[in-house]
Amino acid sequence: MIPKANYHSRPVFEEEVAQLFGRGWQFVALRSELARDRDYVTVDHAGAAIVVQNFKGELHAFQNICSHRFNRIQLGERGNRMLLCGYHGWNFDKTGFPFGLPKRDQFLGKDNDRLCLTRYPVDTCGEFVFVDRGGGTVTLNEHLGGFGAVLEEMGGYLGPETQFAGVPHAANWKLLVENVLECYHCSTVHQETFVPWGVGKLPIDDARFDSGHSSAHFPRQDQPREELRLRYLSHLKERAFDHNSFFHIYVFPNLFVSSSQGLSFYVGQLLPEGPERTLLRMRNFEPRVDLSPKHRARQDPISADSNAMSLRLIEEDRAVLEQIQRGIHLADAPGAIGDDEIRIRDFHRHYAHAMAGGVEPVLQAAE
Ligand code: FES
Ligand SMILES: [Fe+2]
């Protein structure tokens, strides 16, 4: 188990920022959000403000803080505009250099590099865009291990985005991770959401692990009136990904991707803000299927329901996680992990490994 103090200690949080989030490959955005020239996505990511922007088809990432007098450059979470600072009008190019600036003679001279924005290397895996916060020694491919192919495949299933939201949690980021690595809690916490859909009773299936990332299927049981439900969803029967489960992937340290029977998809992004504060940025997607106008009219309310359900699920979890955050200050028992929580064990192992700077750790059996 991870020591309980690691869930609320400020020095540990700062160490996590340095070792886990402030270095190496971090998920930042989806390609679909950055498809057109000038599209951008910003993310306040553990001690950095990052902007990823499309420059005539090329993706580049920078610190989203102006190199003149430190104004924030792109103000939205995402949008479409030049990389133009709104304070004195410096306009940055794809190298991070201010190619357009009023009264340029006052600034341009011998050492123009100091006027450049800090750059972050960008790489993509299918639909998923990552930046390298530095200090790492591996390529994105190496970082993702066997899950590179899984992410690439999942990205191909995503259709139109149907929801984009941020949900603040008064809880440590690791509690959000542990919560989604098991569905043991589903039959108690998600009585109104997962249970009526048929997930939560059967044991975890097909758990896979590689390089700190993991995936599993949470199998589904057919529900009363299943036939009727299938008929109602028949316009999606040509979808490319069809499985009778909730399929969940965790990419260390900050990305969740899940599929609900291939009928809807979720991408969750963890943004730790403090030892006891985490922002969950979430996106939902329909499956990639060509729909006639008649089927589009049928799908729209289904997507609206699925979005409402997704927010409700997150709220059900958030309420518990915030209780756990309070409880962990007081806990005096060692804690326990069951077979259905096996992905948590793997997360703890990889966390300890990464916090030790990639050195094989000596794990405590229990705290
Ligand atoms: S602070 Fe950005 S142009 Fe001055
Ligand atoms: Fe949950």
Side-chain angles (χ1 to χ4, degrees), residues 15 51 75 87 189 193 246 248 265 286 307 310:
E15 188 63 16
V51 56
L75 301 181
Y87 196 6
V189 173
T193 46
F246 178 70
H248 185 273
F265 296 87
E286 291 177 359
N307 289 337
S310 181

Side-chain angles (χ1 to χ4, degrees), residues 66 68-71 85 87-90:
C66 185
H68 176 220
R69 295 242 310 282
F70 321 123
N71 185 34
C85 178
Y87 196 6
H88 308 95
W90 285 23

Side-chain angles (χ1 to χ4, degrees), residues 173-193:
W173 67 274
K174 297 186 289 302
L175 292 181
L176 278 79
V177 174
E178 292 164 6
N179 177 63
V180 294
L181 294 182
E182 50 94 355
C183 205
Y184 181 43
H185 71 275
C186 292
S187 55
T188 38
V189 173
H190 300 307
Q191 300 266 358
E192 312 280 320
T193 46

